[in-house]
Amino acid sequence: MDLVSEVIRTVRVGRPGGRVIRQSNSRGLRFPAFAGTGFHIILRGTCWLITADEEPVPLRPGDVVLTATGSEHGLNRVPCALGGLPPAVMGPIPPAPGPFDFEFLCGVYRLEHGSAPQYLSALPPLMTVSPDYDRLPHLRTLTDLLSTDVSGTQPGTAATLPALLDLILVHVLRQWHEQQGAAAWPETDDPAVAAALRMIHENPRRQWSVARLSEAAGLPRAAFTRRFTAAVGRPPMAYLIGWRLGRGARLLRETDATLATIAREVGYSTEFAFSAAFRREYGVSPGRFRRAPADSFISGGASPGTGNAR
């Protein structure tokens, strides 16, 4: 099971956003908790990653902060209490061109409906990565491209933004995995479970049942259910439903296919059955989910009146 690819497929359901934040003589910023996945890349200056419960972590240019499930955190030029930082606010505000001594790039997929899958929730709430840019010069190129893309008003950003976010997330997750070791990533080495996952992923339209999956995996039903749940964190049918609806959500976001077509593509006999299951999982109808705006921004400003961001 390629969990890096699973992460990217999952986060694409969210709304992509990006912003360059520049500051001078500021008090830093606090990023409230949100549902989704995001990162910061330090471009200029040094700072500290601030959390509520852990010691501050020093960061330098090139370092990456990654949150798999949108945990609250802050960035500040000196160690401090998280609660003392002004909150970052949302808004389509480009970075000011004035003098600044601290700059960082933000990228995010904001998940407005549904919840993070088990393999994302199993990761640490905040991860710091110091990429080897000499070995991975393309990561620096991707960072420059994303920084330029979100700082201007060039046509085509709706297409380039998610592509750049995906590529940066892939490389950062690979680096984190290499630095932490294989045990840090919630993979499964169980060949029976891996076979079942592959079958679900490759053919979600098939009318799978626990009996069919266990038979294909070559295990008794009870043993298969126990091993699958232990490895993945969810029972087989719960995982199958989540996978189908996640794929349906991506098709709603990325294609103009009819609801009936999407329903059949992900294994539901009718659009009404798909709509009911989708509403239970995401809290909104497929139509409302599809109509939601596809853009999102992170502002470099603080709350009104703080005046700390350039």
Side-chain angles (χ1 to χ4, degrees):
M1 180 180 179
D2 181 357
L3 281 168
V4 172
S5 296
E6 295 303 299
V7 169
I8 301 304
R9 292 189 185 102
T10 299
V11 299
R12 281 191 193 133
V13 174
R15 294 169 59 187
R19 179 64 55 203
V20 171
I21 297 178
R22 296 170 179 163
Q23 296 181 313
S24 179
N25 300 320
S26 71
R27 293 175 52 213
L29 290 172
R30 173 171 54 87
F31 294 86
F34 70 97
T37 298
F39 61 82
H40 309 299
I41 302 178
I42 309 304
L43 302 179
R44 178 180 300 188
T46 59
C47 69
W48 296 76
L49 171 64
I50 310 297
T51 61
D53 302 318
E54 303 293 334
E55 291 295 319
V57 177
L59 301 171
R60 60 183 182 179
D63 285 350
V64 182
V65 176
L66 175 65
T67 173
T69 54
S71 297
E72 183 179 35
H73 61 283
L75 296 178
N76 196 36
R77 302 299 300 279
V78 297
C80 68
L82 180 62
L85 295 175
V89 296
M90 304 297 291
I93 305 172
F100 60 94
D101 53 17
F102 180 49
E103 180 182 28
F104 60 100
L105 171 66
C106 300
V108 65
Y109 274 110
R110 189 171 295 273
L111 185 65
E112 295 180 310
H113 307 288
S115 58
Q118 180 69 25
Y119 45 81
L120 278 178
S121 301
L123 293 172
L126 287 162
M127 298 167 277
T128 58
V129 182
S130 297
D132 184 349
Y133 288 99
D134 290 335
R135 185 166 63 89
L136 300 170
H138 44 279
L139 181 55
R140 191 180 302 279
T141 301
L142 291 169
T143 299
D144 292 341
L145 286 170
L146 180 59
S147 178
T148 300
D149 206 57
V150 301
S151 298
T153 57
Q154 303 95 325
T157 299
T160 59
L161 177 58
L164 291 170
L165 291 177
D166 289 356
L167 288 168
I168 289 175
L169 281 170
V170 165
H171 288 295
V172 171
L173 284 167
R174 284 175 178 170
Q175 281 278 284
W176 181 81
H177 184 250
E178 289 177 8
Q179 293 172 8
Q180 298 298 316
W185 190 262
E187 293 198 55
T188 176
D189 294 324
D190 189 319
V193 174
L197 289 169
R198 185 170 59 254
M199 289 183 288
I200 290 173
H201 295 172
E202 293 177 354
N203 192 8
R205 299 178 62 176
R206 185 172 178 181
Q207 295 306 301
W208 293 112
S209 64
V210 175
R212 287 179 176 174
L213 286 169
S214 62
E215 181 181 359
L219 290 173
R221 178 171 174 169
F224 169 74
T225 300
R226 183 174 61 253
R227 285 164 60 170
F228 189 101
T229 303
V232 179
R234 304 174 75 182
M237 297 312 291
Y239 183 88
L240 172 64
I241 291 170
W243 176 261
R244 284 173 167 171
L245 295 175
R247 182 168 180 175
R250 293 193 298 273
L251 292 172
L252 287 167
R253 280 273 195 248
E254 299 171 1
T255 75
D256 295 325
T258 66
L259 193 58
T261 299
I262 292 175
R264 290 192 300 271
E265 178 67 23
V266 299
Y268 286 87
S269 57
T270 68
E271 61 185 278
F272 304 105
F274 171 69
S275 295
F278 192 93
R279 187 184 291 272
R280 285 193 297 270
E281 180 78 6
Y282 287 90
V284 295
S285 68
R288 183 179 173 187
F289 182 89
R290 169 173 266 174
R291 290 191 298 270
D295 57 344
S296 177
F297 298 90
I298 300 175
S299 168
S303 295
T306 60
N308 75 321
R310 299 292 301 185

